[in-house]
Structures are given as structure tokens and as C-alpha cells.
Coordinates of all heavy atoms in Angstrom, one line a residue:
F157 N 125.6 30.9 25.0 CA 125.2 32.4 25.0 C 125.8 33.0 23.8 O 126.7 32.5 23.0 CB 125.6 33.0 26.3 CG 127.1 33.5 26.3 CD1 127.4 34.9 26.3 CD2 128.2 32.6 26.3 CE1 128.7 35.3 26.4 CE2 129.5 33.0 26.2 CZ 129.7 34.3 26.3
I158 N 125.4 34.3 23.5 CA 125.9 35.1 22.4 C 126.4 36.4 23.0 O 125.7 37.1 23.8 CB 124.7 35.4 21.5 CG1 124.1 34.1 20.9 CG2 125.2 36.3 20.3 CD1 122.9 34.3 20.1
A159 N 127.6 36.8 22.7 CA 128.2 38.0 23.1 C 128.4 39.0 21.9 O 128.6 38.5 20.8 CB 129.6 37.7 23.7
G160 N 128.3 40.2 22.2 CA 128.5 41.3 21.2 C 129.9 41.8 21.1 O 130.7 41.5 22.0
P161 N 130.2 42.6 20.1 CA 131.5 43.1 19.8 C 132.1 44.1 20.8 O 133.3 44.4 20.8 CB 131.4 43.7 18.4 CG 130.0 44.1 18.3 CD 129.3 43.0 19.1
M162 N 131.3 44.5 21.8 CA 131.8 45.3 22.9 C 131.8 44.5 24.2 O 131.9 45.1 25.3 CB 130.9 46.6 23.1 CG 131.1 47.6 21.9 SD 132.8 48.2 21.8 CE 133.0 49.3 23.3
G163 N 131.7 43.2 24.1 CA 131.7 42.3 25.2 C 130.4 42.1 26.0 O 130.3 41.4 26.9
E164 N 129.3 42.7 25.5 CA 128.0 42.6 26.1 C 127.4 41.1 25.9 O 127.6 40.5 24.9 CB 127.0 43.6 25.5 CG 126.6 43.5 24.1 CD 127.5 44.1 23.1 OE1 128.7 44.2 23.4 OE2 127.0 44.5 22.1
N165 N 126.7 40.7 26.9 CA 126.0 39.5 26.9 C 124.6 39.7 26.2 O 123.7 40.3 26.9 CB 125.8 38.9 28.3 CG 125.4 37.4 28.3 OD1 124.6 37.0 27.4 ND2 125.8 36.6 29.3
I166 N 124.4 39.3 25.0 CA 123.2 39.5 24.3 C 122.0 38.6 24.6 O 120.9 39.0 24.8 CB 123.5 39.5 22.8 CG1 124.5 40.6 22.4 CG2 122.2 39.7 21.9 CD1 124.9 40.5 21.0
A167 N 122.4 37.3 24.7 CA 121.3 36.3 25.0 C 122.0 35.1 25.6 O 123.2 34.7 25.3 CB 120.6 35.9 23.7
T168 N 121.4 34.5 26.6 CA 122.0 33.4 27.4 C 121.1 32.4 27.8 O 119.9 32.6 28.0 CB 122.8 34.0 28.5 OG1 123.6 33.0 29.2 CG2 121.8 34.6 29.6
L169 N 121.6 31.2 28.0 CA 120.8 30.1 28.7 C 121.5 29.8 30.0 O 122.7 30.2 30.2 CB 120.9 28.8 27.8 CG 120.1 28.8 26.5 CD1 120.4 27.6 25.7 CD2 118.6 29.0 26.7
A170 N 120.8 29.1 30.9 CA 121.4 28.6 32.1 C 121.8 27.1 31.9 O 122.5 26.8 31.0 CB 120.4 28.7 33.3
D171 N 121.2 26.2 32.6 CA 121.5 24.8 32.4 C 120.4 23.9 31.9 O 120.3 22.7 32.2 CB 122.0 24.2 33.8 CG 121.0 24.2 34.9 OD1 119.9 24.9 34.7 OD2 121.2 23.7 36.0
E172 N 119.6 24.6 31.1 CA 118.4 23.9 30.4 C 119.0 22.8 29.4 O 119.9 23.1 28.6 CB 117.5 24.9 29.6 CG 117.0 26.0 30.5 CD 117.7 27.2 30.5 OE1 119.0 27.2 30.4 OE2 117.1 28.3 30.4
K173 N 118.4 21.7 29.4 CA 118.7 20.6 28.5 C 117.8 20.8 27.2 O 116.7 21.2 27.3 CB 118.4 19.2 29.1 CG 119.3 18.9 30.3 CD 119.0 17.5 30.8 CE 119.7 17.2 32.0 NZ 119.4 15.8 32.5
W174 N 118.4 20.5 26.1 CA 117.7 20.5 24.8 C 117.0 21.8 24.6 O 115.8 21.9 24.4 CB 116.8 19.3 24.7 CG 117.5 18.0 24.8 CD1 117.5 17.2 25.9 CD2 118.4 17.5 23.9 NE1 118.3 16.1 25.7 CE2 119.0 16.3 24.5 CE3 118.9 17.9 22.6 CZ2 119.9 15.5 23.8 CZ3 119.9 17.0 22.0 CH2 120.3 15.9 22.6
A175 N 117.8 22.9 24.7 CA 117.3 24.3 24.6 C 118.1 25.0 23.6 O 119.2 24.5 23.1 CB 117.4 25.0 26.0
Y176 N 117.7 26.2 23.3 CA 118.5 27.0 22.3 C 118.4 28.5 22.7 O 117.4 28.9 23.4 CB 118.1 26.8 20.8 CG 116.7 27.3 20.5 CD1 116.5 28.6 20.1 CD2 115.5 26.5 20.7 CE1 115.3 29.1 19.8 CE2 114.3 27.0 20.4 CZ 114.1 28.3 19.9 OH 112.9 28.8 19.7
V177 N 119.3 29.3 22.2 CA 119.2 30.8 22.3 C 119.4 31.4 21.0 O 120.2 30.9 20.2 CB 120.3 31.2 23.3 CG1 121.7 30.9 22.9 CG2 120.1 32.7 23.7
A178 N 118.8 32.4 20.7 CA 118.8 33.1 19.4 C 118.8 34.6 19.6 O 118.2 35.1 20.5 CB 117.7 32.6 18.5
A179 N 119.4 35.3 18.6 CA 119.3 36.8 18.6 C 119.6 37.3 17.2 O 120.4 36.7 16.5 CB 120.4 37.3 19.6
E180 N 118.9 38.4 16.9 CA 119.2 39.1 15.7 C 120.4 40.0 15.9 O 120.3 40.8 16.9 CB 118.0 39.9 15.2 CG 118.2 40.5 13.8 CD 117.1 41.2 13.3 OE1 116.4 41.9 14.1 OE2 116.8 41.2 12.1
V181 N 121.4 40.0 15.2 CA 122.6 40.8 15.4 C 122.9 41.7 14.2 O 122.5 41.4 13.1 CB 123.9 40.0 15.7 CG1 123.7 39.2 17.0 CG2 124.3 39.1 14.6
D182 N 123.4 42.9 14.4 CA 123.7 43.9 13.4 C 125.2 43.9 13.2 O 125.9 44.3 14.1 CB 123.2 45.2 13.8 CG 123.3 46.3 12.8 OD1 124.0 46.0 11.7 OD2 122.8 47.4 12.9
L183 N 125.6 43.3 12.1 CA 127.1 43.2 11.9 C 127.7 44.6 11.7 O 129.0 44.7 11.8 CB 127.3 42.5 10.5 CG 127.4 40.9 10.7 CD1 128.5 40.5 11.7 CD2 126.0 40.4 11.2
D184 N 127.0 45.7 11.5 CA 127.6 47.0 11.5 C 128.2 47.3 12.8 O 129.1 48.2 12.9 CB 126.5 48.0 11.1 CG 126.1 48.0 9.7 OD1 126.8 47.4 8.8 OD2 125.0 48.5 9.3
E185 N 127.7 46.7 13.9 CA 128.2 47.0 15.2 C 129.7 46.6 15.3 O 130.4 47.1 16.2 CB 127.4 46.2 16.3 CG 126.0 46.8 16.4 CD 125.2 46.1 17.5 OE1 125.7 45.4 18.3 OE2 123.9 46.3 17.5
T186 N 130.1 45.6 14.5 CA 131.5 45.2 14.6 C 132.4 46.4 14.1 O 133.5 46.7 14.7 CB 131.8 44.0 13.8 OG1 131.5 44.2 12.4 CG2 131.0 42.8 14.3
E187 N 131.9 47.0 13.1 CA 132.6 48.2 12.5 C 132.6 49.3 13.5 O 133.6 50.1 13.7 CB 132.1 48.6 11.2 CG 132.4 47.5 10.1 CD 133.8 47.2 9.9 OE1 134.7 48.1 10.0 OE2 134.1 46.0 9.9
N188 N 131.4 49.5 14.1 CA 131.4 50.6 15.2 C 132.3 50.4 16.3 O 133.0 51.3 16.8 CB 129.9 50.7 15.7 CG 128.9 51.1 14.6 OD1 129.3 51.7 13.6 ND2 127.6 50.8 14.8
A189 N 132.4 49.1 16.7 CA 133.4 48.8 17.8 C 134.8 49.1 17.4 O 135.6 49.6 18.2 CB 133.2 47.4 18.2
H190 N 135.2 48.7 16.1 CA 136.5 49.0 15.7 C 136.8 50.5 15.6 O 137.9 50.9 15.9 CB 136.6 48.5 14.2 CG 136.9 47.0 14.1 ND1 138.0 46.3 14.7 CD2 136.1 46.0 13.6 CE1 137.9 45.1 14.4 NE2 136.8 44.8 13.8
E191 N 135.8 51.3 15.3 CA 136.0 52.7 15.3 C 136.2 53.3 16.7 O 136.9 54.2 17.0 CB 134.9 53.4 14.6 CG 134.9 53.1 13.1 CD 133.7 53.8 12.4 OE1 132.9 54.6 13.1 OE2 133.5 53.6 11.2
F192 N 135.4 52.7 17.6 CA 135.4 53.2 19.0 C 136.7 52.8 19.7 O 137.3 53.6 20.4 CB 134.2 52.6 19.8 CG 134.1 53.0 21.2 CD1 133.7 54.3 21.5 CD2 134.4 52.2 22.2 CE1 133.6 54.8 22.8 CE2 134.3 52.6 23.6 CZ 133.9 53.9 23.8
M193 N 137.2 51.6 19.5 CA 138.5 51.1 20.1 C 139.3 50.5 19.0 O 139.2 49.3 18.6 CB 138.2 50.1 21.2 CG 137.5 50.6 22.4 SD 138.5 51.7 23.4 CE 139.6 50.6 24.1
N194 N 140.1 51.3 18.4 CA 140.9 50.9 17.1 C 142.1 50.1 17.5 O 143.2 50.6 17.4 CB 141.2 52.0 16.2 CG 141.5 51.6 14.9 OD1 142.0 50.5 14.6 ND2 141.4 52.5 13.9
Y195 N 141.9 48.8 17.9 CA 143.1 48.0 18.3 C 144.0 47.7 17.2 O 145.2 47.6 17.4 CB 142.6 46.7 19.0 CG 141.8 46.9 20.3 CD1 140.7 46.2 20.5 CD2 142.3 47.7 21.3 CE1 140.0 46.3 21.7 CE2 141.6 47.9 22.4 CZ 140.5 47.2 22.7 OH 139.8 47.3 23.9
K196 N 143.4 47.5 16.0 CA 144.3 47.2 14.8 C 145.2 48.3 14.5 O 146.5 48.1 14.3 CB 143.4 46.9 13.6 CG 142.7 45.6 13.6 CD 142.0 45.3 12.3 CE 141.4 43.9 12.3 NZ 140.7 43.6 11.0
R197 N 144.8 49.5 14.7 CA 145.7 50.7 14.4 C 146.8 50.7 15.4 O 147.9 51.2 15.0 CB 144.9 52.0 14.5 CG 145.6 53.3 14.3 CD 144.8 54.5 14.8 NE 144.6 54.4 16.2 CZ 143.6 55.0 16.8 NH1 142.7 55.7 16.2 NH2 143.5 54.9 18.1
D198 N 146.5 50.4 16.6 CA 147.5 50.7 17.7 C 148.3 49.4 18.1 O 149.0 49.4 19.1 CB 146.7 51.2 18.9 CG 146.1 52.6 18.7 OD1 146.6 53.3 17.9 OD2 145.0 52.8 19.2
R199 N 148.1 48.4 17.4 CA 148.9 47.1 17.6 C 150.4 47.4 17.5 O 150.8 48.3 16.7 CB 148.5 46.0 16.7 CG 147.1 45.4 16.9 CD 146.8 44.4 15.9 NE 147.6 43.2 16.1 CZ 148.6 42.8 15.2 NH1 148.8 43.6 14.1 NH2 149.3 41.7 15.4
R200 N 151.3 46.6 18.2 CA 152.7 46.7 18.1 C 153.3 45.3 17.7 O 154.0 44.7 18.5 CB 153.3 47.2 19.4 CG 153.0 48.7 19.6 CD 153.7 49.7 18.7 NE 155.1 49.4 18.6 CZ 156.1 49.8 19.4 NH1 155.7 50.6 20.4 NH2 157.3 49.6 19.3
P201 N 153.0 44.8 16.5 CA 153.5 43.5 16.2 C 155.0 43.4 16.2 O 155.6 42.3 16.3 CB 153.0 43.3 14.8 CG 152.6 44.6 14.3 CD 152.2 45.4 15.5
D202 N 155.7 44.5 16.1 CA 157.2 44.5 16.2 C 157.7 44.0 17.6 O 158.9 43.6 17.8 CB 157.8 45.9 15.9 CG 157.1 47.0 16.7 OD1 155.9 47.0 16.8 OD2 157.9 47.8 17.3
L203 N 156.8 44.1 18.6 CA 157.2 43.7 20.0 C 156.6 42.3 20.4 O 156.9 41.9 21.4 CB 156.6 44.8 20.9 CG 157.0 46.2 20.8 CD1 156.4 47.0 21.9 CD2 158.6 46.3 20.8

């Protein structure tokens, strides 16, 4: 399967043999997710 940067399940298979799954993704969504939940800003590497 394919998951998105907010944890959403975008496309998935079950137990099909010799199958594939595909999706067009927008890489801008990774930046949008960073802005929505800015984990990098709030990290505490000192701990």
C-alpha cells in the first residue's frame, strides 16, 4: 500500500498475487504536513 504524509491510506491491495498498486502523489503535501504539525521545530534532541 501507499500512505500519505498525514498517515492516510491512499491506495492498497489485499492478498492478490502478481498485482500492483499505484497513485499520483503531490509532494507539496509533505510541506503542508510539516507546516500543520511542525515536529522538527518542537523536537528536544537534548533529551
